[in-house]
Amino acid sequence: MKKCMVMYASSTGNTEQMAMAIAEQARKEGAEVVLCTASTLPAAELPTITHWALGCSAHGVEELDEAEFMPALEQIEPYLRGKPVLLFGSYGWGAGAYMKPWEERTRLIGGILCGEGFVFEGAPAETAVEEGRQRAKTLLAQ
Ligand SMILES: Cc1cc2nc3c(=O)[nH]c(=O)nc-3n(C[C@H](O)[C@H](O)[C@H](O)COP(=O)(O)O)c2cc1C
């Protein structure tokens, strides 16, 4: 049984909207889904997860959210080795530049990236939500 964690941090709800769409699609693909925020990470679930969808918006100067997201990501990273990982998140003005170092970091710890990190501007438009659903399908097909 595939078990997908959709873990995210979202200050104004933009990345959260995408997390919901990805979680819904993952369920449609037949996976058990654990949907949580970075601050409500259920640590006991981590060893049981087979597929990962991790969402964080652009923070700082093209960085991940240090306060809420990074502590959860650091807890999760040991479990990403050899597993399919979809990265996603919303940005405001930087065209998603923050995603590249995150992709590299994920590769270095042995995560199997499900394509490039998926970025979208502001609140996700319906076209972005549809791409998110497609990304979730691709993730769960691995
Ligand atoms: C403190 C702070 C820092 C930000 N830094 C960036 C940035 O470096 N690059 C960027 O494109 N957007 C930046 N943004 C904009 C957010 O990424 C953008 O508004 C996004 O849609 C928020 O998504 P969320 O509601 O999921 O957190 C920043 C926003 C805040 C509040």
Side-chain angles (χ1 to χ4, degrees):
M1 172 87 180
K2 293 177 179 177
K3 188 166 175 181
C4 179
M5 178 172 279
V6 183
M7 189 283 280
Y8 66 94
S10 179
S11 45
T12 65
N14 295 338
T15 302
E16 180 173 50
Q17 284 182 45
M18 188 60 70
M20 301 294 174
I22 288 170
E24 188 185 358
Q25 189 65 44
R27 279 189 203 102
K28 285 186 183 161
E29 299 307 306
E32 181 181 343
V33 172
V34 180
L35 175 64
C36 61
T37 64
S39 53
T40 59
L41 182 68
E45 300 274 12
L46 301 185
T48 70
I49 303 300
T50 60
H51 293 68
W52 298 89
L54 304 175
C56 183
S57 51
H59 273 252
V61 182
E62 301 307 329
E63 289 161 355
L64 294 170
D65 168 18
E66 287 287 336
E68 186 190 352
F69 190 74
M70 283 305 286
L73 183 65
E74 282 165 9
Q75 261 187 282
I76 281 174
E77 280 180 333
Y79 300 96
L80 299 185
R81 175 171 291 278
K83 303 275 167 55
V85 184
L86 169 61
L87 306 178
F88 65 96
S90 175
Y91 64 88
W93 52 84
Y98 77 106
M99 190 56 80
K100 289 294 158 200
W102 189 13
E103 288 172 4
E104 187 55 21
R105 176 183 173 125
T106 305
R107 262 189 221 104
L108 284 174
I109 53 105
I112 301 169
L113 283 176
C114 180
E116 292 186 342
F118 172 39
V119 289
F120 47 93
E121 186 180 356
E126 182 49 35
T127 50
V129 171
E130 184 49 36
E131 186 177 346
R133 293 188 190 112
Q134 292 303 321
R135 296 287 199 116
K137 279 189 187 180
T138 304
L139 175 72
L140 270 304
Q142 292 185 30

